[in-house]
Amino acid sequence: MLSKKVLKDIQSLGLKKHRTESGLFLAEGPKIVEELIQLIPESIVGVYGTKEWSMQYPSIDAEIITDIELERISQLQTPHGVVAVVKQFELKEPDYKSGWCLYLDTIQDPGNLGTIIRIADWFGIQQIVCSGGCAELYNPKVVQSTMASIARVPVWYDEEGVWLKTQQVPIYAATLEGSSVYDQKRTANGILLIGNESKGISENLLPYATNNITIPRLGGAESLNAAVATGIILSHLVTN
């Protein structure tokens, strides 16, 4: 049984203020927790799972809790058997010179940010830079949407908004008006600039773009989800 203090401490990590103060975050679900234990075992502070979950993962050292306790510490509407408390990562400005990188401008939906991190992982992208207006990396919805890719793809926040200015590789801005992504040559180096879900790329960042590209619209939809657009564009630009 969890003590009142431990219960309260874990519950508090549902709030950004307490995540920042403690330097911790929550990860939930068998797949995510198992992968994080394999990838960053030194960062796992505690694992709390139900007896049913524990029987399926007997090799994982965890504190057994009741279904009621799980519901109380979970940030999900339907808890998935296990919650882990994890140390936040050290976010470093990337020493970026080559390869592919994503720059996310004010991506505010946590689900979109998490999915984009997972997409970056799929395409082997080693770095994501977020503008200061992006969703918080350790928001439970972000963590859940990454499906453990949060531990494989470094993310850094460009709070001052000057990082793009210093880069020496092509910068591809995803816009509604631009050259078709289908006409672009694949390349091993570049930065893909993805804008806000509703407002697009900020006017102060657009001048840094060397190439404005778009996904040609064939139907009547006004726009594409930011994560979907990211995946489509990367599939046409990235090469080994």
Side-chain angles (χ1 to χ4, degrees):
M1 178 178 291
L2 295 177
S3 68
K4 289 183 178 179
K5 182 181 185 308
V6 171
L7 184 66
K8 183 178 179 181
D9 287 346
I10 298 175
Q11 287 176 325
S12 73
L13 296 177
L15 299 176
K16 180 179 179 180
K17 173 185 175 181
H18 294 293
R19 290 194 293 271
T20 301
E21 291 175 349
S22 66
L24 303 172
F25 70 96
L26 297 177
E28 299 195 45
K31 183 180 186 303
I32 296 177
V33 171
E34 182 182 22
E35 280 202 58
L36 291 183
I37 290 173
Q38 293 173 353
L39 292 167
I40 49 170
E42 71 284 353
S43 296
I44 306 299
V45 174
V47 179
Y48 306 88
T50 63
K51 184 177 181 179
E52 181 180 1
W53 167 84
S54 180
M55 291 174 65
Q56 298 178 50
Y57 298 87
S59 63
I60 296 179
D61 184 20
E63 182 168 347
I64 305 303
I65 59 176
T66 65
D67 290 339
I68 294 177
E69 288 175 318
L70 178 65
E71 290 178 3
R72 295 182 67 182
I73 64 174
S74 174
Q75 297 298 308
L76 304 177
Q77 287 188 340
T78 305
H80 298 319
V82 62
V83 174
V85 177
V86 188
K87 293 179 184 177
Q88 295 184 13
F89 312 115
E90 182 180 357
L91 305 186
K92 297 181 180 179
E93 180 176 355
D95 183 20
Y96 172 74
K97 294 182 176 63
S98 63
W100 272 95
C101 174
L102 293 182
Y103 191 103
L104 308 181
D105 177 26
T106 323
I107 298 296
Q108 296 177 321
D109 182 87
N112 272 342
L113 177 56
T115 301
I116 289 172
I117 293 172
R118 187 179 180 187
I119 289 169
D121 191 14
W122 177 266
F123 285 99
I125 291 174
Q126 298 299 309
Q127 183 64 56
I128 294 177
V129 177
C130 291
S131 72
C134 284
E136 179 216 2
L137 179 62
Y138 303 110
N139 180 297
K141 291 183 179 179
V142 173
V143 177
Q144 196 70 19
S145 297
T146 70
M147 295 301 290
S149 292
I150 190 173
R152 284 187 289 262
V153 183
V155 177
W156 177 71
Y157 284 76
D158 178 26
E159 297 290 353
E160 297 182 1
V162 297
W163 186 81
L164 280 177
K165 186 177 182 180
T166 64
Q167 304 311 307
Q168 302 299 315
V169 299
I171 299 174
Y172 297 83
T175 64
L176 289 177
E177 297 180 0
S179 301
S180 170
V181 68
Y182 307 136
D183 295 333
Q184 303 297 314
K185 292 183 179 180
R186 293 182 181 274
T187 176
N189 301 292
I191 297 171
L192 175 58
L193 175 55
I194 299 291
N196 174 266
E197 292 90 345
S198 60
K199 299 179 181 179
I201 297 170
S202 303
E203 291 186 5
N204 62 310
L205 294 181
L206 273 176
Y208 301 138
T210 57
N211 302 275
N212 287 346
I213 58 175
T214 192
I215 302 169
R217 179 174 58 181
L218 302 179
E222 182 180 354
S223 62
L224 277 175
N225 172 278
V228 171
T230 300
I232 293 172
I233 293 172
L234 291 177
S235 71
H236 286 82
L237 292 183
V238 175
T239 188
N240 294 330

